[in-house]
Amino acid sequence: MSLSKVKDVEVLEGEWECMDCGYIEEGASNRRPKRCPECNAPGSVFEFFEYEDEDWSDDDDLEEFDDLDDDLDDDYDYDDDDD
């Protein structure tokens, strides 16, 4: 009796894009669409794009928005006493 080895394949989440018409379908890297529902192109024209992990916990870009918010508060007059 022979046992076949099964490789661990990493399955990625992302989007399949039809390179003929631009149709996008969400899915897993191991499940290529068979045909494009928009242009009827074969599954071989689909290209997979993996979702990127974005770590916002240490993103310094958000600090510039805090500064912008402070500047806007300084420019706005909150008093409604125009009488």
Side-chain angles (χ1 to χ4, degrees):
M1 182 170 146
S2 113
L3 296 174
S4 62
K5 291 185 178 180
V6 176
K7 289 185 178 180
D8 288 331
V9 178
E10 183 178 6
V11 177
L12 306 172
E13 293 295 316
E15 297 176 337
W16 287 98
E17 181 177 354
C18 176
M19 296 291 107
D20 284 358
C21 73
Y23 172 79
I24 294 176
E25 181 173 310
E26 292 186 23
S29 60
N30 64 342
R31 307 240 350 154
R32 178 187 301 265
K34 291 182 175 28
R35 289 209 158 277
C36 178
E38 292 290 321
C39 69
N40 208 30
S44 60
V45 302
F46 277 86
E47 191 171 321
F48 185 76
F49 296 93
E50 176 185 2
Y51 290 141
E52 294 182 14
D53 289 335
E54 294 190 26
D55 184 11
W56 292 91
S57 62
D58 60 351
D59 195 351
D60 293 334
D61 293 338
L62 295 177
E63 290 178 8
E64 77 181 64
F65 291 109
D66 289 338
D67 295 340
L68 178 65
D69 190 36
D70 290 342
D71 292 343
L72 289 174
D73 283 344
D74 292 342
D75 293 339
Y76 185 77
D77 182 15
Y78 290 101
D79 263 345
D80 288 338
D81 298 332
D82 291 337
D83 298 309

